[in-house]
């Protein structure tokens, strides 16, 4: 764990505050941060003993929460483009078998750097060698929810039993202030009943969180139905797996009954529109219906091998366009809801809405300062800022980023690491993985 002194008080003066509080206020005012949390949000913050930042040229926005990714795949960007999921996974599984913990850590640093520079302060991951990802998160200062990938023992390239590996990972990292370790079953195509229920038991005995892929493609659904006689959601319900604290990624091919089941069991949904579209999943996740049924929905980028970006700005933009077009309704999923997906709803999905996701007194000071003079935020008006964030802003508008009150990006430069060093290490890892890739 990186040893850090407690952060000193900070006051951001006269910024445009996009609070994401229950009233969704957008106001001119100040932020005061003490001991890593917000102690004042609004006009007239006390300034005694604090470092002062002139916020007049900035919008202060809650840190984005990316609720599904595989951050260590940053070195695999472009390695399997223009293929449907089955062909994509064939390439990825063969390359993954060559990976070592050192290259996973190097790649995770690159992915985390990309997220921080785009205003993401928390992410939910699913991979293996997650100790390497945890060290990268600790070094760069991001808030990380890291799911150790679990598969059946006869279907994995991991050394040892995956559930035991996940248990050991959770034990090693469960006291870290920024890293939350958890268990992550890969999907119904590589996990049998015993593996799913073992994952549930482990989640209940440890951090209470469990992350997995679910009903991403028709092929996945049809093959599972042919094997078991049931669709994946119905089968997971029957075996007693579904429940609170679970986050399902994708859920593209689900029925009305499955929608009700997921909502009733309080399963969170990670919506990944860019990845689903690029891999030609052939459908659009029924996010509107899931929300109407009471499910909590957040946004995930998935990995850069299938997206090919970790930008939450792009994910908000695309999510809005896809659903408006699909439903022939320009008013569906308005800008405010898209920003909710990327902030407070993502926090709620992780069970952390009392700590992150908005600019409110008592919450962790995870936030970004965006340049109001950036071309994508013109005109810089309070009544337009939420729309700009959802539909037009680019990561380059992000000037500074803070996690738990500590600066991790200032002036578009990483504070706790050197990008050139991160990039060089990631390129070395990529050289080894790309050379033998199947074509």
């Amino acid at each position: 764990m990186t040893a850090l002194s407690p952060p000193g008080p900070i006051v951001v003066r006269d910024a445009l505050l996009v609070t994401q509080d229950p009233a969704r206020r957008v106001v001119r005012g100040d932020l005061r941060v003490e001991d890593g949390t917000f102690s004042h949000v609004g006009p007239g913050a006390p300034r005694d003993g604090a470092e002062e930042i002139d916020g007049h040229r900035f919008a202060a926005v809650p840190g984005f929460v990316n609720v599904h990714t595989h951050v260590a795949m940053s070195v695999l960007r472009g390695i399997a483009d223009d293929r449907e999921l089955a062909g994509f996974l064939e390439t990825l599984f063969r390359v993954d078998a060559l990976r070592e913990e050192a290259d996973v850590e190097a790649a995770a640093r690159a992915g985390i750097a990309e997220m921080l520079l785009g205003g993401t302060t928390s992410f939910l991951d699913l991979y293996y060698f997650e100790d390497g990802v945890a060290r990268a998160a600790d070094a760069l200062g991001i808030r990380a929810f890291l799911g150790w990938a679990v598969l059946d023992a006869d279907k994995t390239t991991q050394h040892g039993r995956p559930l035991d590996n996940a248990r050991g990972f959770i034990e090693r990292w469960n006291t870290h202030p920024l890293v939350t370790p958890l268990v992550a079953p890969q999907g119904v195509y590589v996990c049998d009943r015993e593996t799913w229920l073992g994952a549930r038991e482990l989640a209940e005995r440890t951090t209470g969180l469990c992350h997995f892929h679910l009903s991403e493609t028709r092929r996945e659904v049809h093959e599972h139905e042919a094997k078991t006689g049931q669709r994946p959601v119905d089968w997971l319900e029957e075996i007693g797996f579904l429940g609170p604290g679970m986050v399902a990624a994708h859920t593209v091919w689900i029925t009305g009954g499955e929608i009700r089941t997921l909502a009733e069991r309080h399963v969170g949904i990670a919506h990944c529109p860019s990845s689903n579209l690029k891999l030609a999943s052939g459908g659009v996740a029924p996010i509107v219906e899931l929300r109407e049924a009471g499910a909590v929905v957040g946004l995930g980028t998935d990995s850069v091998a299938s997206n090919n970006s970790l930008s939450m700005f792009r994910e908000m933009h695309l999510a809005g366009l896809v659903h408006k077009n699909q439903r022939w309704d320009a008013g569906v999923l308005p800008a405010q809801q898209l920003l909710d997906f990327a902030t407070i709803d993502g926090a709620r999905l992780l069970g952390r809405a009392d700590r992150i996701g908005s600019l409110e007194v008592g919450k962790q000071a995870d936030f970004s300062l965006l340049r109001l003079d950036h071309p994508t935020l013109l005109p810089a008006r309070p009544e337009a800022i939420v729309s700009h964030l959802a539909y037009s802003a680019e990561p380059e508008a992000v000037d500074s980023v803070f996690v738990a009150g500590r600066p991790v990006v200032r002036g578009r430069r990483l504070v706790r690491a050197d990008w050139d060093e991160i990039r060089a290490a990631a390129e070395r890892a990529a050289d080894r993985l790309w050379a033998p890739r199947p074509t």
Side-chain angles (χ1 to χ4, degrees):
M1 185 185 303
T2 302
L4 295 172
S5 58
I10 299 170
V11 172
V12 180
R13 306 188 318 267
D14 193 32
L16 185 61
L17 308 180
V18 183
T19 66
Q20 287 296 96
D21 66 7
R24 301 302 190 264
R25 292 179 306 138
V26 176
V27 297
R28 273 279 169 192
D30 308 332
L31 294 176
R32 183 178 174 96
V33 178
E34 298 183 73
D35 298 324
T37 63
F38 295 115
S39 61
H40 184 103
V41 178
R47 300 177 184 180
D48 50 296
E51 173 195 351
E52 294 189 32
I53 299 172
D54 183 358
H56 183 72
R57 297 183 301 108
F58 298 107
V61 180
F64 295 138
V65 183
N66 183 346
V67 294
H68 180 62
T69 192
H70 312 279
V71 70
M73 292 173 70
S74 65
V75 295
L76 305 181
R77 191 189 326 251
I79 201 169
D81 283 348
D82 306 323
R83 303 178 190 182
E84 66 166 8
L85 183 62
F88 169 85
L89 289 177
E90 181 183 0
T91 296
L92 267 294
F93 287 159
R94 289 176 65 180
V95 172
D96 275 350
L98 304 173
R99 301 205 72 173
E100 300 172 354
E101 189 166 325
D103 80 71
V104 165
E105 181 172 349
R109 284 176 177 252
I112 289 168
E114 181 180 347
M115 288 195 291
L116 287 174
L117 289 164
T120 294
T121 56
S122 297
F123 72 101
L124 175 59
D125 199 59
L126 192 163
Y127 213 56
Y128 56 99
F129 286 139
E130 286 282 49
D131 291 276
V133 182
R135 288 192 296 271
D138 173 66
L140 273 76
I142 198 169
R143 199 177 297 277
F145 297 80
L146 306 181
W148 187 286
V150 168
L151 300 79
D152 295 344
D154 62 347
K155 297 182 179 69
T156 183
T157 58
Q158 295 179 34
H159 298 296
R161 184 168 174 260
L163 269 171
D164 292 337
N165 295 340
R167 184 178 295 106
F169 171 65
I170 293 170
E171 290 172 354
R172 289 190 293 275
W173 288 92
N174 64 4
T175 60
H176 193 281
L178 291 179
V179 174
T180 300
L182 57 129
V183 61
Q186 174 75 20
V188 295
Y189 39 89
V190 286
C191 297
D192 63 14
R193 183 179 187 276
E194 180 183 2
T195 299
W196 282 105
L197 294 182
R200 178 188 171 99
E201 180 188 13
L202 179 57
E204 289 176 340
R205 289 195 293 105
T206 55
T207 56
L209 289 171
C210 184
H211 186 36
F212 48 93
H213 301 101
L214 182 63
S215 298
E216 186 174 358
T217 67
R218 284 180 297 183
R219 178 174 177 175
E220 172 193 334
V221 173
H222 292 165
E223 287 183 352
H224 191 267
E225 206 167 13
K227 178 181 176 181
T228 68
Q230 293 179 294
R231 299 172 65 88
V233 175
D234 295 333
W235 183 76
L236 290 174
E237 169 70 352
E238 182 178 272
I239 68 172
F241 174 77
L242 299 176
M246 297 181 175
V247 181
H250 304 300
T251 64
V252 176
W253 291 98
I254 56 176
T255 64
E258 289 174 301
I259 288 170
R260 289 189 295 274
T261 296
L262 292 171
E264 289 169 1
R265 294 302 181 205
H266 305 288
V267 176
I269 307 299
H271 183 34
C272 307
S274 292
S275 177
N276 295 152
L277 289 169
K278 184 166 177 283
L279 292 172
S281 295
V284 175
I287 297 307
V288 175
E289 291 80 5
L290 281 159
R291 287 189 64 249
E292 289 173 349
V296 177
V297 176
L299 282 179
T301 59
D302 212 340
S303 81
V304 299
S306 63
N307 185 308
N308 298 36
S309 168
L310 294 172
S311 169
M312 290 292 282
F313 291 108
R314 193 167 88 161
E315 217 60 32
M316 282 189 284
H317 181 191
L318 191 57
L321 269 58
V322 165
H323 291 279
K324 293 173 192 299
N325 180 73
Q326 191 228 11
R327 298 175 68 90
W328 290 53
D329 182 356
V332 77
L333 295 189
Q336 182 61 69
Q337 182 59 65
L338 296 171
L339 185 58
D340 289 355
F341 283 165
T343 57
I344 189 63
D345 286 348
R348 185 173 295 117
L349 183 148
L350 295 172
R352 300 297 190 276
D354 60 335
R355 303 180 214 177
I356 59 174
S358 61
L359 311 181
E360 295 185 77
V361 171
K363 286 195 174 184
Q364 292 284 295
D366 294 4
F367 67 101
S368 299
L369 297 178
L370 275 68
R371 288 175 41 203
L372 290 172
D373 64 352
H374 192 271
T376 60
L377 295 181
L378 178 73
R381 306 179 63 85
E383 59 268 38
I385 188 64
V386 170
S387 174
H388 294 345
L389 292 170
Y391 296 131
S392 65
E394 297 286 347
E396 289 73 23
V398 175
D399 178 87
S400 300
V401 181
F402 297 79
V403 177
R406 290 188 174 89
V408 291
V409 174
R410 294 296 288 266
R412 289 212 55 73
R413 294 183 66 87
L414 298 169
V415 172
R416 294 170 56 174
D418 179 81
W419 169 246
D420 289 336
E421 293 179 3
I422 289 173
R423 184 191 62 80
E427 290 284 10
R428 289 193 295 272
D431 288 343
R432 191 175 67 83
L433 297 173
W434 277 66
R437 77 189 189 282
T439 57

